[in-house]
Amino acid sequence: DTTKVARIETISGQAAVLYGISQPGGIINVITKQPTGDNSGWLRETYSTQRERVDGEFNYRLSDTVSLLLVGAYEGDDSDTDYNNTYFRTLSPTLVWQPTHDTKLVVDFDWTSNLHHFTSGFLLYNGVPIQAPVSQGGFGIPQSRNYEGPDNIYDETTRTLFVTLEHEFNENASLRLAYNLHKQDSMEDYMGIGTIKAPAGNVEGIPAGTPSIEGTWRNYTLNNSMQSVSADGLIKFETGPIKHQILVGGQVGVDKFWSPRYYDWNTAKNNYIWRYWSLTDPNPNLNKPDDVAYVFQTALSTQSRREENTVGSLYLTHQGRFMNDRIVTLAGLFYSSIDNYVRAFGGQEQRYAASRTSPQAGVVFKVIDPLSVYALYATSLYPQPGGSLGGFGEIFPPVKGKSFEYGVKFDAFQSNLSGTVSVYDIRQQGRIIFDSTAPNANNPDADPNLPRGANVPTGETQSTGVDVNIYYRVVHDVQLMGSYAYNETKILHDAQPYLVGRKVTPFFRNRAALWAKYSPSSVKGLALGVGATWHGEGLRGYSSSSITGIPNTAKAEYNMQTNVSYSCKISGHPTTFSVNGRNLLKSETVVGGSGDVGYYFETPREIRFSIRVAY
């Protein structure tokens, strides 16, 4: 939860070499809070038109060597859609024991509970959202209507334990050992929407020919456990004018999950028990029927399975500094191995093993004090996302990647103007996409009269683009921060010629953001901010309503948000009042459509009020 986060760093360029991933602009580094070693804390209440939240943190100094941090939060989230809300709770204690100046033990535990009544989004009838006006082929049904009803529920509990031991032998040598245990238990009880159609006969009291929603109830559970151990050591030394830093380490982790799925099933007919809700009924009974009896179906074994992944890695990197730090080089080797085992119900058993040694290299050259140029090359190997199965329940081998990045970094006028400009080229082999023409277990021959489409791995996907990030302090009280990103993502090579050149979703070619902050020196504690975001027309997905997979587009969007905060002391307690405005332009959202036609509905504005009191 964000209450536990101390800060978020964007590690750009050459730093990505240390971590063995190939993504544009490096990685995001989330740094969590540690005990402060004193007795202090704060409590905050936030209320808005969409949610209510209470969070806080409390520090305790238990002894000269032991400190405790306790962080907690509760949030109730509502929406303008019926039966769509979330209740979130988290509690996270962190204990630090530092017996000596050079040794520190950190024990960090997180518990979260997430209870969610949900909707899968807008429903389509003949490719048109049912909420669209009748003149456009819809039914004019209120946008707030949720036909999945009040009994759709997702209930998840997670527990995570981190234990880290750090020891510094001297200023040039240190060692870190870590252990991580994570457990997740979740349950989803929901109505699976089938199609919207007009039944031929009288079904459940609905007259023949009445447009109706068809659905059946399902239950899905997931029990996931993951644990890993890691160790790394850091050594620093000098050879003449050259400074060296060597990092060596390794990690091994095992991830297991068990995911049975049950269906509202007619055993005699060996099929789902379909329920119907009339679109012309102004007050449909959307509750879960009393006679629902779940049955486990081995025939649908690809959706119920046991899986175990073992991932190991070894890494060795060297950093060199030359010419009084004017040139910095990084070179590394990252060895990864993946062993994936899946056993689906019905006897289907699959396994694959893969390994790769990934070289990585980077260099930074300071041309003049305010200006540096850099270049980066990195390769990677990582498993497919969980649940990515083919049309016949097959698992996919891991994704291989490589990236090239070149850029300029500048920091001028006493840091009043700084930023980065980078160009990147990323290639991935084995990326999973949905192909509406691919055969599956229900449709081996891709018969257009049957359900069609399946996940397939691509030969090679390419992502190229430019990232620009600029910070500018106009005057002492005014700061501007802006960014622009241009990205082109497409399938470069594939065994299926019709996939070559296809865009990979979700895809927006242009994005931009601008934020201005004003902190008047004449009014201490006051801060005002205003920001705007924009993205151009993009590709949301591919419709399966056609054998060729027609693209659905998303139109260009503008949005705006503001922030006003004032900090002062009340009865000796530092207190901050804040007002945030989000989605002020009521940005419109695409909700599907037939062919390249999109239907757009306004999302509501949100105004948040909060007060934070510290001690």
Side-chain angles (χ1 to χ4, degrees), residues 313-386:
S313 63
L314 296 172
Y315 47 90
L316 172 66
T317 66
H318 172 269
Q319 180 190 87
R321 294 180 175 269
F322 307 83
M323 300 174 58
N324 295 321
D325 295 348
R326 204 168 193 84
I327 297 178
V328 179
T329 62
L330 283 165
L333 288 175
F334 194 98
Y335 172 79
S336 305
S337 66
I338 300 171
D339 188 351
N340 177 252
Y341 167 79
V342 174
R343 181 178 179 85
F345 295 96
Q348 190 177 19
E349 182 176 313
Q350 304 175 70
R351 171 174 242 126
Y352 75 76
S355 62
R356 186 183 193 187
T357 300
S358 303
Q360 300 158 347
V363 60
V364 182
F365 174 53
K366 184 181 291 185
V367 182
I368 55 178
D369 282 343
L371 179 67
S372 299
V373 295
Y374 73 89
L376 163 69
Y377 169 73
T379 57
S380 62
L381 177 77
Y382 53 92
Q384 296 286 356

Side-chain angles (χ1 to χ4, degrees), residues 196-228:
I196 302 177
K197 61 184 183 180
N202 190 299
V203 180
E204 297 187 5
I206 299 175
T210 303
S212 306
I213 290 179
E214 178 186 68
T216 186
W217 281 87
R218 308 175 187 183
N219 182 275
Y220 173 64
T221 61
L222 172 66
N223 303 110
N224 173 240
S225 68
M226 182 276 289
Q227 56 183 329
S228 67

Side-chain angles (χ1 to χ4, degrees), residues 170-283:
N170 53 56
E171 62 180 9
N172 294 319
S174 60
L175 176 69
R176 182 181 63 180
L177 306 173
Y179 171 75
N180 173 219
L181 174 65
H182 174 82
K183 289 185 175 293
Q184 172 192 354
D185 299 301
S186 62
M187 183 276 294
E188 189 172 350
D189 201 14
Y190 67 104
M191 183 180 72
I193 296 290
T195 59
I196 302 177
K197 61 184 183 180
N202 190 299
V203 180
E204 297 187 5
I206 299 175
T210 303
S212 306
I213 290 179
E214 178 186 68
T216 186
W217 281 87
R218 308 175 187 183
N219 182 275
Y220 173 64
T221 61
L222 172 66
N223 303 110
N224 173 240
S225 68
M226 182 276 289
Q227 56 183 329
S228 67
V229 292
S230 63
D232 57 56
L234 182 66
I235 300 175
K236 303 176 184 178
F237 61 94
E238 298 181 6
T239 56
I242 304 175
K243 301 175 184 178
H244 303 269
Q245 181 173 294
I246 295 177
L247 177 70
V248 59
Q251 181 179 26
V252 61
V254 179
D255 187 8
K256 301 179 181 180
F257 72 84
W258 152 251
S259 56
R261 186 170 295 192
Y262 301 86
Y263 300 86
D264 188 13
W265 198 259
N266 186 322
T267 306
K269 295 184 179 180
N270 196 32
N271 204 344
Y272 299 110
I273 300 176
W274 295 105
R275 317 297 171 115
Y276 297 88
W277 290 265
S278 169
L279 291 177
T280 60
D281 186 348
N283 297 297

